[in-house]
Amino acid sequence: MSAAAASLQDIARAIRALEQEFQDHANAGNAAALTEAFYAADATLLPPSAPPVKGADAIRDFWAAFLGAGVTDAELRTEDVSASGDLAYNTGAYAFSLNGSRHTGKYLVVYRRQADGSYRAVADSFSGNA
């Protein structure tokens, strides 16, 4: 196995761990921990049918309102991870329950390697399948 393949495997493992942390915090209703663990300070969230949400504080407030509406059983499923230089991205599928109804959709997240070598989301876009 080449060094590049091993590196991509390490990046994919790190991104899957970030997504698991996102999912865990979402299911705990903890928007502050979710935002701190997952997003860079200068990140942009692109929610469906809404203007862009810029910066960690605004993103935290978005997720607090979203989760506070009664979201439960959030799930993320990574489908593809790729990387080049200090950037990586992944695509995947999500699901959550809200007021007894199951919602499904897809997402694309762009990550940037931080000074400590970890990755954080810098652009996050999601939309429903309906």
Side-chain angles (χ1 to χ4, degrees), residues 32-128:
L34 179 156
T35 303
E36 186 171 326
F38 194 76
Y39 292 98
D42 61 346
T44 299
L45 176 65
L46 303 165
S49 304
V53 180
K54 297 185 178 204
D57 290 343
I59 291 170
R60 180 199 60 233
D61 294 345
F62 172 88
W63 286 120
F66 189 87
L67 297 173
V71 168
T72 61
D73 302 317
E75 298 176 35
L76 299 177
R77 186 180 68 244
T78 301
E79 293 177 353
D80 184 45
V81 176
S82 192
S84 180
D86 284 339
L87 296 177
Y89 75 86
N90 79 307
T91 58
Y94 69 81
F96 64 88
S97 295
L98 178 62
N99 299 324
S101 180
R102 194 74 175 153
H103 298 264
T104 62
K106 64 272 183 197
Y107 60 88
L108 167 67
V109 181
V110 178
Y111 303 87
R112 182 176 56 227
R113 187 181 355 244
Q114 306 297 293
D116 66 1
S118 67
Y119 282 85
R120 291 291 180 267
V122 293
D124 180 3
S125 178
F126 66 99
S127 64

